[in-house]
Amino acid sequence: MSILVIAQHDHNSINPATLNTVEAAKKIGGEIHILVAGKACTLAAGEAAKISGLAKVLVADDGAYEHFMAENLSLLIADLGKNYSHILAPSNTFGKNFLPRVAAILDVAQITDVIEVVSQDTFKRPIYAGNAIATVQSADKIIIMTIRTTKFAKAEMGANAPIENISSKGDSGLSSFVRSEGAGAKGPDLSSSRIVISGGRGMGNKDNFKILESLAKKIPDCAIGASRAAVDAGYISNDYQVGQTGKIVAPELYIAVGISGAIQHLAGMKDSKIIVAINKDENAPIFEVADFGLVADLFVAIPEIEKLL
């Protein structure tokens, strides 16, 4: 039995989500290979080789993989995947972009958002916005999964796996990259930061998010997040959205400011180690999951906290 992990990277370095995915692969057991597909991705491949537990690093270096387009990546992964029992990728926009297409090409089911490995063919995943956990057993010859990275530790570094160059499948010709647009989140990476401060509808407007940004700058490894209500209201870019339809986070400390606590938001942050809620509505649902709650006007509380820091 062998497992193929698809590495998320920026051509120069490996995204931390890949380390969690490798750790999930270890729980399954068997020989683990990792695929680094990109353009001029030698540095990323070298970093991947240092991840402990890998038997081999496969490198597909081709301009067709520069922008990680699903139409091109899926052909490569599906062709490689015929030789593996499992194919894993992070359960984020990277993995969710191409893995369903791989599953369709191989004519197998995909198991999404795996949070626990029970056995080699049985896994647990959340359903109903995390209110229930489904135990899923697959009878497919090739099991394809996305991994909720916040549920697994990061694989350690320090190994030296062999690197093997493989042939590219080239451009599928089905689509072409035009350009990439977006506000682009600033500051520490939301998905891997030690502390996250998120603002909700209670922030009032986009200018008020500067209050949270000012506070975050005084805290090491602190990222800014937001609820969907704040994003939909135009207060902040959706790059910052935390929740069922945003990013799943599990920092050591999560501070929810002016967030009521809709079930969709809780699904994206309730695994945080410590949750602090600041809201002037003492009946806000967020207090039901918070370890510490402060019933106060955020426009008074946040500046006071910043002064203390």
Side-chain angles (χ1 to χ4, degrees), residues 113-117 124-126 133 146-148 151-152:
D113 236 12
V114 170
I115 62 172
E116 182 182 336
V117 175
K124 291 186 178 182
R125 61 178 298 269
I133 304 299
T146 59
I147 303 298
R148 178 172 288 197
K151 286 294 187 178
F152 295 89

Side-chain angles (χ1 to χ4, degrees), residues 7-128:
Q8 181 177 357
H9 61 91
D10 61 2
H11 306 288
N12 294 313
S13 60
I14 296 295
N15 187 287
T18 301
L19 303 181
N20 305 98
T21 307
V22 170
E23 194 64 24
K26 291 180 184 178
K27 303 289 184 184
I28 299 172
E31 187 172 283
I32 303 172
H33 297 174
I34 192 167
L35 171 65
V36 178
K39 180 182 179 182
C41 53
T42 303
L43 292 177
E47 186 174 323
K50 297 177 182 178
I51 303 173
S52 66
L54 299 181
K56 186 187 298 184
V57 177
L58 304 176
V59 180
D61 196 327
D62 191 298
Y65 309 128
E66 180 178 4
H67 302 290
F68 311 113
M69 294 171 62
E71 292 81 359
N72 296 342
L73 269 181
S74 59
L75 294 180
L76 173 67
I77 297 168
D79 186 59
L80 279 175
K82 296 173 183 177
N83 302 315
Y84 292 89
S85 60
H86 298 73
I87 303 174
L88 278 62
S91 186
N92 53 21
T93 52
F94 173 76
K96 291 176 182 178
N97 185 37
F98 59 81
L99 215 53
R101 199 178 190 95
V102 174
I105 294 172
L106 295 175
D107 195 25
V108 297
Q110 175 183 308
I111 305 175
T112 304
D113 236 12
V114 170
I115 62 172
E116 182 182 336
V117 175
V118 179
S119 67
Q120 294 175 353
D121 64 355
T122 307
F123 313 91
K124 291 186 178 182
R125 61 178 298 269
I127 57 175
Y128 304 128

Side-chain angles (χ1 to χ4, degrees), residues 7-287:
Q8 181 177 357
H9 61 91
D10 61 2
H11 306 288
N12 294 313
S13 60
I14 296 295
N15 187 287
T18 301
L19 303 181
N20 305 98
T21 307
V22 170
E23 194 64 24
K26 291 180 184 178
K27 303 289 184 184
I28 299 172
E31 187 172 283
I32 303 172
H33 297 174
I34 192 167
L35 171 65
V36 178
K39 180 182 179 182
C41 53
T42 303
L43 292 177
E47 186 174 323
K50 297 177 182 178
I51 303 173
S52 66
L54 299 181
K56 186 187 298 184
V57 177
L58 304 176
V59 180
D61 196 327
D62 191 298
Y65 309 128
E66 180 178 4
H67 302 290
F68 311 113
M69 294 171 62
E71 292 81 359
N72 296 342
L73 269 181
S74 59
L75 294 180
L76 173 67
I77 297 168
D79 186 59
L80 279 175
K82 296 173 183 177
N83 302 315
Y84 292 89
S85 60
H86 298 73
I87 303 174
L88 278 62
S91 186
N92 53 21
T93 52
F94 173 76
K96 291 176 182 178
N97 185 37
F98 59 81
L99 215 53
R101 199 178 190 95
V102 174
I105 294 172
L106 295 175
D107 195 25
V108 297
Q110 175 183 308
I111 305 175
T112 304
D113 236 12
V114 170
I115 62 172
E116 182 182 336
V117 175
V118 179
S119 67
Q120 294 175 353
D121 64 355
T122 307
F123 313 91
K124 291 186 178 182
R125 61 178 298 269
I127 57 175
Y128 304 128
N131 284 305
I133 304 299
T135 301
V136 181
Q137 185 175 36
S138 174
D140 286 326
K141 183 178 180 181
I142 303 172
I143 299 176
I144 295 180
M145 305 187 296
T146 59
I147 303 298
R148 178 172 288 197
T149 55
T150 57
K151 286 294 187 178
F152 295 89
K154 288 181 171 63
E156 295 182 358
M157 304 292 284
N160 188 23
I163 298 175
E164 177 184 321
N165 291 307
I166 62 173
S167 300
S168 165
K169 299 299 288 186
D171 192 331
S172 66
L174 296 173
S175 60
S176 60
F177 179 81
V178 178
R179 64 181 178 272
S180 177
E181 295 182 2
K186 300 176 182 177
D189 179 49
L190 180 59
S191 300
S192 59
S193 292
R194 190 174 62 89
I195 299 172
V196 173
I197 302 177
S198 285
R201 194 193 303 272
M203 296 304 298
N205 58 56
K206 63 181 180 180
D207 291 334
N208 288 335
F209 261 87
K210 294 178 182 178
I211 300 173
L212 300 187
E213 292 171 2
S214 178
L215 177 61
K217 288 178 181 177
K218 295 193 175 183
I219 305 173
D221 195 16
C222 180
I224 295 293
S227 68
R228 178 168 181 170
V231 171
D232 287 349
Y235 299 167
I236 196 166
S237 159
N238 61 4
D239 294 304
Y240 296 87
Q241 185 176 322
V242 173
Q244 185 179 12
T245 54
K247 294 181 179 178
I248 307 296
V249 301
E252 292 181 23
L253 174 62
Y254 187 88
I255 305 175
V257 182
I259 293 176
S260 63
I263 188 172
Q264 291 85 356
H265 184 75
L266 300 183
M269 46 65 73
K270 65 182 181 180
D271 290 326
S272 303
K273 304 300 183 292
I274 297 175
I275 299 172
V276 175
I278 302 175
N279 200 303
K280 64 181 180 181
D281 179 8
E282 62 183 27
N283 297 313
I286 191 71
F287 288 122

